[in-house]
Amino acid sequence: MVTMDKTELLYDHYKETVRVSTDMQAKRNTLFVYVCVFELLNFLMLLFPQVINSALSTFLLEAYKVSLSELLGLLPTGIWLITTYVLVRYFQTTIYVERQYPYIEVIEAEIAKETRLACFDRESKAYLSNYPKVLDLIHIFYTWMIPILLQVINTVKITLEWKAAPSTATTWVNTLIYAFLLVLTILFLIFMHTPAKPVKRHNKK
């Protein structure tokens, strides 16, 4: 039976941890694109509801020979639900990535201690040293501007829904979804901007 010494075990674990983190970063980036697409669709429903309904109905009829004209009233709720799912997955993935950074830093410090190699800090001290201001700006964009902008779009959308069809069942359902997204976004912002968290590392794209 082959046994591994402590340094080999640490390094193998380090490589696996960094690989998983990198995979999750790629997943996060993909989910971000999906969030933007569905929020854009939500925004277009604000401006051109009849056009979107007509285009979707025509597409389904021509491509799949399915007529959903009777169900198009549920389309806004469907978009709300899909947007919520994608946004939840995006927040989950982003938080997972953020929580990995302190853990990776601990592993690097332990490997550096075992090997007496002070340079073993690529994901921690080396990354944060001489941190460019442009990455601070990108960090603000991703962790402040984008979440707030998405919530503004959602707020305008739900307000217009109440003006168009007050007190209907779908409006109440959409409002509950909106309230959930609002709470979710606030909690996400609190996590990302808690001073104890090294959140600026979120910029690794």
Side-chain angles (χ1 to χ4, degrees), residues 62-132:
E62 293 182 355
Y64 302 102
K65 309 302 180 185
V66 175
S67 176
L68 294 180
S69 56
E70 300 85 0
L71 301 178
L72 285 179
L74 299 177
L75 180 60
T77 300
I79 295 176
W80 274 109
L81 289 172
I82 295 173
T83 301
T84 300
Y85 172 78
V86 176
L87 195 59
V88 165
R89 296 295 297 142
Y90 172 70
F91 285 164
Q92 281 181 325
T93 306
T94 299
I95 291 172
Y96 178 88
V97 170
E98 290 296 324
R99 295 186 68 189
Q100 289 302 294
Y101 292 137
Y103 183 64
I104 291 173
E105 184 174 358
V106 169
I107 300 175
E108 285 189 341
E110 191 66 24
I111 294 175
K113 183 177 71 174
E114 289 294 317
T115 60
R116 296 182 175 85
L117 295 173
C119 64
F120 204 91
D121 58 2
R122 182 187 64 189
E123 301 296 321
S124 52
K125 293 180 182 177
Y127 180 77
L128 293 176
S129 63
N130 298 318
Y131 198 78

Side-chain angles (χ1 to χ4, degrees), residues 36-186:
C36 291
V37 168
F38 284 109
E39 285 289 2
L40 176 61
L41 184 58
N42 215 8
F43 184 69
L44 291 176
M45 285 290 295
L46 281 174
L47 303 178
F48 315 106
Q50 298 302 323
V51 174
I52 298 296
N53 287 346
S54 177
L56 182 61
S57 180
T58 301
F59 170 76
L60 291 174
L61 186 60
E62 293 182 355
Y64 302 102
K65 309 302 180 185
V66 175
S67 176
L68 294 180
S69 56
E70 300 85 0
L71 301 178
L72 285 179
L74 299 177
L75 180 60
T77 300
I79 295 176
W80 274 109
L81 289 172
I82 295 173
T83 301
T84 300
Y85 172 78
V86 176
L87 195 59
V88 165
R89 296 295 297 142
Y90 172 70
F91 285 164
Q92 281 181 325
T93 306
T94 299
I95 291 172
Y96 178 88
V97 170
E98 290 296 324
R99 295 186 68 189
Q100 289 302 294
Y101 292 137
Y103 183 64
I104 291 173
E105 184 174 358
V106 169
I107 300 175
E108 285 189 341
E110 191 66 24
I111 294 175
K113 183 177 71 174
E114 289 294 317
T115 60
R116 296 182 175 85
L117 295 173
C119 64
F120 204 91
D121 58 2
R122 182 187 64 189
E123 301 296 321
S124 52
K125 293 180 182 177
Y127 180 77
L128 293 176
S129 63
N130 298 318
Y131 198 78
K133 292 298 182 183
V134 64
L135 292 184
D136 282 325
L137 183 59
I138 293 173
H139 173 255
I140 293 173
F141 174 77
Y142 277 108
T143 64
W144 278 117
M145 295 174 64
I146 289 297
I148 291 174
L149 176 62
L150 295 180
Q151 201 54 48
V152 167
I153 293 174
N154 292 338
T155 301
V156 174
K157 179 72 164 56
I158 198 64
T159 300
L160 292 182
E161 285 188 24
W162 273 98
K163 288 182 178 180
S167 296
T168 63
T170 54
T171 305
W172 278 107
V173 170
N174 296 347
T175 302
L176 290 176
I177 297 172
Y178 163 79
F180 172 75
L181 287 177
L182 177 60
V183 173
L184 187 70
T185 301
I186 291 172

Side-chain angles (χ1 to χ4, degrees), residues 3-15 107-117 120:
T3 59
M4 303 175 64
D5 63 27
K6 183 177 180 180
T7 303
E8 290 177 322
L9 184 62
L10 278 170
Y11 187 62
D12 278 356
H13 181 56
Y14 171 75
K15 289 190 297 183
I107 300 175
E108 285 189 341
E110 191 66 24
I111 294 175
K113 183 177 71 174
E114 289 294 317
T115 60
R116 296 182 175 85
L117 295 173
F120 204 91

